[in-house]
Amino acid sequence: MNKGINLALIIIFNLVPIFGVAFYNWQPFEAFWFFWVETLVIAIFNTIRIVFSQGQPATAVNTQRPLVYHINKGIKYLFIRIAIFFFYAIFIIVFVGFVANTSKDKGTVLGTILLQNQFFNVGLLISFSSQCYYLITGFLKNGSYLTASPDEYAAIFDGRQLVIHVAIVLGALGSMFLTKQTALGNYGNIFIISLLCICKCFFDIADSNTTGYKTAAE
């Protein structure tokens, strides 16, 4: 896979929330929800990888062998990831979307969830397109599916989720203690979202360099 394209996609995707808060009046909810929905998109593509991974020895690849489809394993993985998604979605919607939301118009939260936020939808389109690119070029076209094991993509928790959790905590604390009741108070949302994007961007770039973008591009 082209490293230049990978790097460009990582940076562009992680810049979406920053542009959102700068030009489209995004609150922290939109950024956190944006990255959380990304985990669901990734889970869908990982399910495809699990189903088609053949697990053949790298030294004895047999392209003539009939394909084995791990459908049950894929469905089980997707079901668990969807359950985790909705479990944390409740927290993000209630506490970040409504309780901690500084916007007077709380209806924007519901509008974003119902995909009525056009810039949010553009960001999701970038995510979906990127995952299609990674799946085709880095899994199917180059034959990686022949040697890949279904278990490589079946992790219930990954580093990205940890990064998002840490960024939420640090961003919330930073906004509360560093910007509240100061001259920088109006920049609290920018601080939270920028911190989240920077942390995640560095993680994705580092992961792409160490694992061939297996995890970050999943």
Side-chain angles (χ1 to χ4, degrees):
M1 294 171 59
N2 189 299
K3 291 184 178 181
I5 295 178
N6 287 340
L7 182 61
L9 289 174
I10 292 173
I11 294 176
I12 291 173
F13 182 79
N14 286 284
L15 282 176
V16 169
I18 296 179
F19 274 84
V21 70
F23 301 105
Y24 295 93
N25 198 33
W26 276 25
Q27 297 293 313
F29 167 78
E30 281 82 1
F32 294 140
W33 185 247
F34 178 67
F35 284 140
W36 193 239
V37 174
E38 180 208 11
T39 65
L40 184 60
V41 173
I42 293 170
I44 294 173
F45 281 87
N46 273 352
T47 301
I48 299 175
R49 293 183 176 92
I50 291 172
V51 171
F52 285 93
S53 293
Q54 300 302 300
Q56 297 185 22
T59 56
V61 174
N62 184 358
T63 57
Q64 302 302 318
R65 181 187 302 178
L67 296 180
V68 178
Y69 302 103
H70 306 279
I71 297 177
N72 290 336
K73 182 182 287 290
I75 293 177
K76 179 181 179 181
Y77 162 81
L78 183 60
F79 178 81
I80 295 175
R81 288 301 294 262
I82 289 176
I84 294 174
F85 171 83
F86 280 110
F87 177 80
Y88 282 101
I90 294 174
F91 171 82
I92 295 175
I93 293 172
V94 173
F95 290 98
V96 181
F98 290 101
V99 176
N101 195 339
T102 59
S103 175
K104 294 182 179 179
D105 183 13
K106 298 299 193 300
T108 57
V109 174
L110 184 59
T112 299
I113 296 173
L114 297 178
L115 300 180
Q116 296 176 354
N117 186 321
Q118 294 184 355
F119 189 67
F120 184 91
N121 296 342
V122 170
L124 289 185
L125 180 61
I126 295 174
S127 173
F128 188 85
S129 301
S130 300
Q131 295 305 318
C132 286
Y133 169 76
Y134 299 138
L135 178 68
I136 294 172
T137 62
F139 185 75
L140 298 175
K141 187 176 180 180
N142 66 357
S144 293
Y145 71 96
L146 293 171
T147 57
S149 169
D151 294 333
E152 294 180 30
Y153 305 100
I156 301 304
F157 292 97
D158 55 33
R160 176 185 292 98
Q161 296 177 50
L162 179 61
V163 168
I164 293 176
H165 281 76
V166 171
I168 289 176
V169 174
L170 293 179
L173 291 176
S175 178
M176 182 182 302
F177 294 107
L178 298 180
T179 64
K180 190 176 182 180
Q181 295 181 345
T182 70
L184 300 176
N186 294 331
Y187 298 94
N189 291 337
I190 296 178
F191 172 81
I192 296 173
I193 294 176
S194 297
L195 179 62
L196 171 63
C197 295
I198 292 172
C199 289
K200 185 175 178 297
C201 188
F202 274 114
F203 172 83
D204 287 345
I205 293 175
D207 194 58
S208 68
N209 291 332
T210 58
T211 66
Y213 208 59
K214 179 177 77 68
T215 301
E218 287 169 5

